[in-house]
Amino acid sequence: MTIRLGDVAPDFSADTTDGPINFHEWLGDSWGILFSHPKDFTPVCTTELGAFAARKSEFDSRNTKIIGVSVDDVASHQQWKGDIAETQGTALNFPIIGDEERKVATLYDMIHPNANDTLTVRSVFIIGPDKKVKLTLTYPASTGRNIDEIIRVLDSLQLVAGYSVATPANWQDGDEVIIANSITDDEAKTKFPKGFRKLKDYLRLTPQPNK
Ligand code: BEZ
Protein backbone atom coordinates (compact mmCIF):
# COMPACT_ATOMS: atom_id res chain seq x y z
CA MET A 1 0.00 0.00 0.00
CA THR A 2 1.42 3.41 -0.95
CA ILE A 3 1.31 5.88 1.90
CA ARG A 4 0.91 9.53 1.08
CA LEU A 5 1.24 12.65 3.17
CA GLY A 6 -2.02 13.34 5.02
CA ASP A 7 -3.08 9.68 5.07
CA VAL A 8 -3.91 8.14 8.42
CA ALA A 9 -0.91 5.98 9.38
CA PRO A 10 -2.08 2.36 9.09
CA ASP A 11 -2.72 0.80 12.48
CA PHE A 12 -1.41 -2.64 13.41
CA SER A 13 -0.69 -4.92 16.33
CA ALA A 14 2.79 -6.41 16.61
CA ASP A 15 5.32 -7.92 18.95
CA THR A 16 8.28 -5.69 19.80
CA THR A 17 11.43 -5.85 21.90
CA ASP A 18 9.37 -4.09 24.63
CA GLY A 19 6.41 -6.49 24.32
CA PRO A 20 3.24 -6.49 22.21
CA ILE A 21 1.78 -3.17 21.08
CA ASN A 22 -1.14 -1.76 19.18
CA PHE A 23 0.52 1.02 17.15
CA HIS A 24 -2.13 3.74 17.52
CA GLU A 25 -2.56 3.03 21.24
CA TRP A 26 1.21 3.05 21.69
CA LEU A 27 1.43 6.44 19.94
CA GLY A 28 -1.25 7.91 22.21
CA ASP A 29 -1.19 11.72 21.94
CA SER A 30 2.48 11.83 20.93
CA TRP A 31 4.16 12.45 17.64
CA GLY A 32 5.72 9.26 16.29
CA ILE A 33 8.57 8.13 14.06
CA LEU A 34 8.33 4.67 12.51
CA PHE A 35 11.47 3.68 10.66
CA SER A 36 12.55 0.47 8.97
CA HIS A 37 16.01 -1.01 8.60
CA PRO A 38 16.85 -3.81 6.16
CA LYS A 39 18.35 -6.42 8.44
CA ASP A 40 19.69 -7.10 11.93
CA PHE A 41 23.41 -7.79 12.35
CA THR A 42 24.38 -5.58 9.41
CA PRO A 43 26.84 -2.69 9.63
CA VAL A 44 24.92 0.40 8.47
CA CYS A 45 21.82 -0.65 10.44
CA THR A 46 23.90 -1.10 13.60
CA THR A 47 25.20 2.48 13.32
CA GLU A 48 21.70 3.86 12.62
CA LEU A 49 20.02 2.14 15.57
CA GLY A 50 22.81 3.41 17.81
CA ALA A 51 22.43 6.92 16.36
CA PHE A 52 18.67 6.97 17.03
CA ALA A 53 19.25 5.65 20.57
CA ALA A 54 21.90 8.32 21.27
CA ARG A 55 19.39 11.08 20.37
CA LYS A 56 16.40 9.58 22.25
CA SER A 57 16.24 12.41 24.81
CA GLU A 58 15.88 14.91 21.93
CA PHE A 59 12.90 12.98 20.58
CA ASP A 60 11.45 12.78 24.12
CA SER A 61 11.73 16.54 24.54
CA ARG A 62 9.75 16.92 21.32
CA ASN A 63 6.98 14.61 22.62
CA THR A 64 7.95 12.11 19.93
CA LYS A 65 8.12 8.33 20.27
CA ILE A 66 10.46 6.35 18.02
CA ILE A 67 10.07 2.75 16.93
CA GLY A 68 12.06 0.61 14.49
CA VAL A 69 11.03 -2.35 12.35
CA SER A 70 12.63 -4.98 10.15
CA VAL A 71 11.60 -8.36 8.82
CA ASP A 72 13.68 -10.08 11.52
CA ASP A 73 11.93 -11.51 14.57
CA VAL A 74 12.03 -10.14 18.12
CA ALA A 75 14.46 -12.83 19.28
CA SER A 76 16.93 -11.65 16.63
CA HIS A 77 16.45 -8.00 17.62
CA GLN A 78 17.06 -8.93 21.28
CA GLN A 79 20.33 -10.69 20.38
CA TRP A 80 21.46 -7.79 18.19
CA LYS A 81 20.84 -5.22 20.97
CA GLY A 82 24.07 -6.29 22.70
CA ASP A 83 26.12 -5.51 19.58
CA ILE A 84 24.52 -2.07 19.27
CA ALA A 85 25.34 -1.22 22.89
CA GLU A 86 28.87 -2.60 22.56
CA THR A 87 29.82 -0.91 19.29
CA GLN A 88 27.76 2.31 19.34
CA GLY A 89 28.16 3.16 23.02
CA THR A 90 24.41 3.52 23.59
CA ALA A 91 22.02 0.79 24.67
CA LEU A 92 18.84 0.48 22.63
CA ASN A 93 16.19 2.54 24.44
CA PHE A 94 13.17 2.26 22.15
CA PRO A 95 11.22 -0.71 20.77
CA ILE A 96 11.93 -2.58 17.55
CA ILE A 97 9.05 -4.42 15.92
CA GLY A 98 9.50 -8.06 14.92
CA ASP A 99 7.98 -8.29 11.45
CA GLU A 100 8.99 -11.71 10.14
CA GLU A 101 5.57 -12.05 8.47
CA ARG A 102 6.10 -8.64 6.79
CA LYS A 103 2.78 -7.31 8.05
CA VAL A 104 4.07 -3.83 8.86
CA ALA A 105 6.47 -3.84 5.90
CA THR A 106 3.55 -4.53 3.55
CA LEU A 107 1.17 -2.04 5.20
CA TYR A 108 3.79 0.71 4.86
CA ASP A 109 5.19 -0.38 1.45
CA MET A 110 8.66 -0.84 2.91
CA ILE A 111 9.74 -3.61 0.53
CA HIS A 112 10.72 -2.31 -2.90
CA PRO A 113 11.19 -5.46 -4.98
CA ASN A 114 13.33 -3.80 -7.63
CA ALA A 115 15.80 -2.89 -4.89
CA ASN A 116 15.49 -6.08 -2.85
CA ASP A 117 12.83 -8.82 -2.89
CA THR A 118 12.76 -9.52 0.80
CA LEU A 119 14.39 -6.80 2.88
CA THR A 120 12.84 -3.49 3.90
CA VAL A 121 14.36 -0.30 2.53
CA ARG A 122 15.25 2.47 4.99
CA SER A 123 11.85 4.15 5.36
CA VAL A 124 10.98 6.95 7.76
CA PHE A 125 7.43 8.01 8.58
CA ILE A 126 6.76 10.98 10.85
CA ILE A 127 3.24 10.76 12.25
CA GLY A 128 1.41 13.62 13.99
CA PRO A 129 -0.71 13.39 17.14
CA ASP A 130 -3.73 13.23 14.77
CA LYS A 131 -2.22 9.92 13.48
CA LYS A 132 -1.72 11.42 10.03
CA VAL A 133 1.50 10.96 8.07
CA LYS A 134 3.45 14.23 7.95
CA LEU A 135 6.65 13.06 6.25
CA THR A 136 7.94 10.06 4.34
CA LEU A 137 11.58 9.40 3.47
CA THR A 138 13.10 6.44 1.64
CA TYR A 139 16.81 5.69 1.70
CA PRO A 140 18.64 2.79 0.05
CA ALA A 141 20.26 0.05 2.12
CA SER A 142 23.72 1.49 1.44
CA THR A 143 23.07 4.96 2.93
CA GLY A 144 22.62 5.46 6.66
CA ARG A 145 20.14 8.14 7.63
CA ASN A 146 20.97 11.56 9.08
CA ILE A 147 19.34 11.97 12.51
CA ASP A 148 20.00 15.73 12.44
CA GLU A 149 17.80 16.00 9.33
CA ILE A 150 15.01 13.93 10.91
CA ILE A 151 15.03 16.20 13.99
CA ARG A 152 15.19 19.30 11.76
CA VAL A 153 12.06 18.23 9.87
CA LEU A 154 10.32 17.33 13.12
CA ASP A 155 11.06 20.84 14.45
CA SER A 156 9.67 22.35 11.25
CA LEU A 157 6.53 20.20 11.37
CA GLN A 158 5.88 21.04 15.02
CA LEU A 159 6.45 24.74 14.37
CA VAL A 160 4.12 24.99 11.37
CA ALA A 161 1.44 23.03 13.28
CA GLY A 162 1.17 26.00 15.67
CA TYR A 163 1.80 29.06 13.48
CA SER A 164 0.92 30.24 9.96
CA VAL A 165 4.47 29.81 8.72
CA ALA A 166 6.65 27.58 6.56
CA THR A 167 10.39 26.97 6.83
CA PRO A 168 12.83 27.87 4.04
CA ALA A 169 15.57 25.78 2.46
CA ASN A 170 18.21 24.63 4.93
CA TRP A 171 16.24 26.11 7.83
CA GLN A 172 17.52 25.34 11.29
CA ASP A 173 15.68 25.84 14.56
CA GLY A 174 16.02 29.53 15.47
CA ASP A 175 16.33 30.84 11.90
CA GLU A 176 13.84 33.19 10.24
CA VAL A 177 10.68 31.57 8.86
CA ILE A 178 8.34 32.35 5.96
CA ILE A 179 4.91 33.86 6.61
CA ALA A 180 2.13 31.86 4.91
CA ASN A 181 0.68 33.53 1.84
CA SER A 182 -2.83 33.14 3.31
CA ILE A 183 -1.89 35.88 5.82
CA THR A 184 -2.27 39.51 4.70
CA ASP A 185 0.35 42.11 5.61
CA ASP A 186 -2.10 43.66 8.12
CA GLU A 187 -2.72 40.29 9.75
CA ALA A 188 1.02 39.60 9.78
CA LYS A 189 1.62 42.80 11.78
CA THR A 190 -0.62 41.42 14.54
CA LYS A 191 0.36 37.77 14.32
CA PHE A 192 4.08 38.39 14.13
CA PRO A 193 4.79 41.30 16.51
CA LYS A 194 8.56 40.96 15.99
CA GLY A 195 7.93 42.32 12.48
CA PHE A 196 8.73 40.94 9.06
CA ARG A 197 10.90 41.54 6.03
CA LYS A 198 9.09 41.70 2.71
CA LEU A 199 11.38 40.57 -0.13
CA LYS A 200 8.44 40.00 -2.50
CA ASP A 201 4.68 40.06 -2.00
CA TYR A 202 4.92 36.26 -1.76
CA LEU A 203 8.13 36.07 0.28
CA ARG A 204 7.97 37.57 3.76
CA LEU A 205 10.37 36.52 6.52
CA THR A 206 9.87 36.84 10.26
CA PRO A 207 11.84 35.74 13.33
CA GLN A 208 10.81 32.28 14.49
CA PRO A 209 7.64 33.00 16.49
CA ASN A 210 8.10 30.42 19.26
CA LYS A 211 11.56 31.65 20.29
C1 BEZ B 1 23.68 -2.59 6.29
O1 BEZ B 1 22.98 -2.19 7.22
O2 BEZ B 1 24.89 -2.42 6.29
C2 BEZ B 1 23.04 -3.28 5.14
C3 BEZ B 1 21.86 -3.98 5.30
C4 BEZ B 1 21.32 -4.65 4.23
C5 BEZ B 1 21.90 -4.60 2.99
C6 BEZ B 1 23.07 -3.86 2.83
C7 BEZ B 1 23.65 -3.21 3.91
Side-chain angles (χ1 to χ4, degrees):
M1 180 168 140
T2 304
I3 305 213
R4 294 180 175 165
L5 301 190
D7 291 354
V8 172
D11 196 16
F12 57 84
S13 295
D15 199 12
T16 80
T17 48
D18 292 356
I21 61 156
N22 168 267
F23 186 51
H24 281 194
E25 277 173 25
W26 177 82
L27 284 169
D29 296 328
S30 301
W31 289 72
I33 297 182
L34 170 67
F35 69 95
S36 57
H37 64 273
K39 197 166 174 49
D40 294 357
F41 299 101
T42 53
V44 178
C45 297
T46 301
T47 63
E48 282 193 317
L49 274 279
F52 272 107
R55 307 290 292 273
K56 170 77 163 33
S57 64
E58 293 173 69
F59 291 108
D60 289 343
S61 69
R62 290 163 173 80
N63 187 31
T64 302
K65 294 183 173 178
I66 56 177
I67 189 164
V69 61
S70 77
V71 294
D72 303 285
D73 60 21
V74 167
S76 165
H77 295 330
Q78 296 288 17
Q79 276 189 311
W80 184 36
K81 275 166 86 167
D83 290 0
I84 295 168
E86 181 191 327
T87 62
Q88 304 305 306
T90 314
L92 207 68
N93 46 17
F94 56 86
I96 314 181
I97 297 163
D99 194 34
E100 65 274 26
E101 290 170 9
R102 304 186 200 174
K103 201 164 83 180
V104 177
T106 303
L107 267 180
Y108 281 81
D109 197 25
M110 290 166 165
I111 294 178
H112 296 193
N114 290 328
N116 189 295
D117 276 347
T118 51
L119 304 180
T120 42
V121 291
R122 299 187 195 280
S123 300
V124 181
F125 295 90
I126 299 187
I127 298 158
D130 58 1
K131 310 285 185 292
K132 292 193 175 159
V133 174
K134 308 295 182 189
L135 168 120
T136 66
L137 283 173
T138 307
Y139 279 58
S142 51
T143 305
R145 282 158 287 200
N146 183 322
I147 312 301
D148 285 337
E149 172 60 4
I150 293 171
I151 291 177
R152 190 189 78 88
V153 182
L154 185 58
D155 282 341
S156 170
L157 288 167
Q158 293 189 340
L159 176 68
V160 307
Y163 297 90
S164 302
V165 297
T167 58
N170 298 325
W171 174 83
Q172 297 286 344
D173 190 37
D175 288 352
E176 281 185 316
V177 300
I178 293 169
I179 298 173
N181 284 337
S182 55
I183 305 293
T184 65
D185 282 356
D186 278 346
E187 288 166 340
K189 283 176 195 152
T190 317
K191 277 184 182 276
F192 302 104
K194 292 175 196 157
F196 60 90
R197 298 193 295 127
K198 188 168 175 171
L199 305 185
K200 291 282 176 192
D201 283 343
Y202 60 83
L203 178 52
R204 296 164 299 169
L205 295 162
T206 188
Q208 187 171 321
N210 64 347
K211 289 284 177 187

